[in-house]
Amino acid sequence: MEGISKDKFKKVPMDVSKGDTMARPRMGYWQDAWRRLKTNKVAMLSIIVLLTLIIMTIIGPHLNGYSYKTVDPSKVNMKPNSEHWFGTDELGRDVFSRVWQAGRISMIIGILGAIIDTIIGCIYGGIAAYFGGKVDNIMMRIVEILISIPYLIVVILISIVTESRSLGTMILSLTLTGWCGMARLVRGQMLQVKQQEYIMAAETLGVSPWKIITKHLIPNVLGIVIVAITFDIPGYIFAETFLSYIGLGVQPPNTSWGALASAAQQNFIFYPHQMFFPSLMIALTMLSFTLLGDGLRDALDPKLRQ
């Protein structure tokens, strides 16, 4: 310091009135989670892919002017070309329109199934965790019984009883026992939150159990629930795909990605493009939701907040 001139230094006055000024603006939990999610390039790419797929399922069937139901015997099993972008199937129907029409069914089943799963699971798990004791034991034994029943048996039984294989029947079949996993997850998380002081304070002030569950318990496990939803959606899509592949899914004239893949397997050796496109959409959707779930898990982890 002896070789440095005093002219190099400048005295900065101290403003006492600014002592409590924050160095950066206040940032809430969800704002911070979004900030960290934006830095995850893989998760953001997954969001872009999913948004593109959803938009295409809405507008895709109308882009090239061919209806997904129109049969043209003169254009059977055509390869992808400028007129039919994904080619045609064994009945001369446009594969491009059918792929995006099928995507509507698969996406609806995946998203709607996950929403129903979440609502029932959160309420059921929240009640079991809050009351505990015998109520918890009885409710969890019921969940264990339901979760041990293979969903394939449930689908077959409901199809026989209702004599229908419609979209509503498929959603009912998959969600009848599908909520059990969410209920167990929510119950486990709420048992930890239940021991917090603000829950005890709410009980002391006479807040009703329903309000404590909906206003305090469920919102505090919402981050984990959101991550679980992103893993549930591809699970429902895969389940629907499998059922459609073995002939237990939606029936013509409706179609799904699984139904398209099932119909294309007979001609796979000669016309592989008929199976390639629905299989590609299934893979992209499931992969994108899974990668988005990983990104959300990291972004919503309060231990990683800075």
Side-chain angles (χ1 to χ4, degrees):
M1 297 294 292
E2 295 180 357
I4 302 177
S5 174
K6 293 183 179 181
D7 297 335
K8 300 292 184 181
F9 295 91
K10 180 181 180 181
K11 187 176 181 180
V12 179
M14 182 177 66
D15 190 348
V16 181
S17 63
K18 296 183 179 180
D20 295 331
T21 303
M22 297 181 64
R24 64 176 181 176
R26 173 180 256 173
M27 184 174 291
Y29 172 74
W30 294 106
Q31 290 176 316
D32 184 62
W34 172 242
R35 178 185 62 81
R36 283 188 280 129
L37 182 64
K38 288 192 294 185
T39 61
N40 190 326
K41 296 181 180 179
V42 175
M44 295 306 296
L45 179 61
S46 300
I47 292 176
I48 294 173
V49 172
L50 288 174
L51 288 177
T52 302
L53 289 173
I54 291 173
I55 292 172
M56 288 303 297
T57 57
I58 297 173
I59 66 173
H62 310 289
L63 286 181
N64 64 352
Y66 290 97
S67 171
Y68 73 99
K69 295 187 292 186
T70 302
V71 176
D72 189 347
S74 64
K75 298 180 179 180
V76 173
N77 293 323
M78 293 180 63
K79 294 182 179 180
N81 53 64
S82 59
E83 185 178 2
H84 297 278
W85 301 335
F86 287 178
T88 60
D89 62 8
E90 71 280 0
L91 297 178
R93 295 172 296 189
D94 184 69
V95 175
F96 181 85
S97 299
R98 290 183 64 77
V99 164
W100 298 120
Q101 179 66 29
R104 291 183 181 182
I105 303 296
S106 296
M107 286 289 188
I108 288 173
I109 290 176
I111 296 174
L112 194 57
I115 291 173
I116 296 173
D117 170 326
T118 303
I119 294 173
I120 299 176
C122 285
I123 295 174
Y124 193 93
I127 293 173
Y130 180 78
F131 289 102
K134 291 183 179 180
V135 175
D136 183 29
N137 287 331
I138 294 172
M139 294 180 72
M140 286 300 104
R141 297 299 81 77
I142 294 173
V143 166
E144 290 170 2
I145 293 172
L146 291 175
I147 208 170
S148 64
I149 303 174
Y151 75 90
L152 187 58
I153 295 178
V154 176
V155 172
I156 294 173
L157 288 175
I158 291 181
S159 298
I160 294 174
V161 171
T162 60
E163 297 181 354
S164 172
R165 294 182 183 176
S166 63
L167 179 61
T169 303
M170 178 70 63
I171 294 175
L172 175 63
S173 304
L174 294 176
T175 56
L176 196 61
T177 59
W179 57 268
C180 296
M182 180 66 74
R184 296 175 69 180
L185 173 65
V186 171
R187 170 187 172 270
Q189 295 298 320
M190 286 189 179
L191 285 175
Q192 299 178 5
V193 179
K194 182 183 173 183
Q195 307 301 323
Q196 301 297 322
E197 290 80 2
Y198 60 88
I199 300 296
M200 297 180 183
E203 292 174 345
T204 305
L205 293 172
V207 180
S208 66
W210 177 252
K211 284 189 176 180
I212 291 177
I213 293 171
T214 57
K215 301 293 184 181
H216 297 292
L217 292 178
I218 291 179
N220 280 281
V221 299
L222 198 56
I224 295 173
V225 170
I226 291 174
V227 174
I229 290 173
T230 60
F231 290 109
D232 278 348
I233 293 175
Y236 278 107
I237 291 176
F238 180 79
E240 180 277 326
T241 300
F242 170 72
L243 292 173
S244 297
Y245 191 82
I246 62 176
L248 294 175
V250 294
Q251 300 300 306
N254 290 326
T255 187
S256 67
W257 285 332
L260 289 180
S262 177
Q265 68 170 337
Q266 301 175 2
N267 301 321
F268 176 72
I269 297 178
F270 305 102
Y271 311 106
H273 66 277
Q274 295 179 8
M275 180 175 281
F276 171 77
F277 292 110
S279 301
L280 176 64
M281 302 310 162
I282 295 170
L284 283 176
T285 304
M286 297 186 67
L287 180 62
S288 297
F289 272 115
T290 302
L291 294 176
L292 177 59
D294 288 336
L296 285 173
R297 182 181 57 194
D298 295 336
L300 295 172
D301 188 353
K303 296 179 183 179
L304 299 178
R305 290 196 68 181
Q306 297 178 356

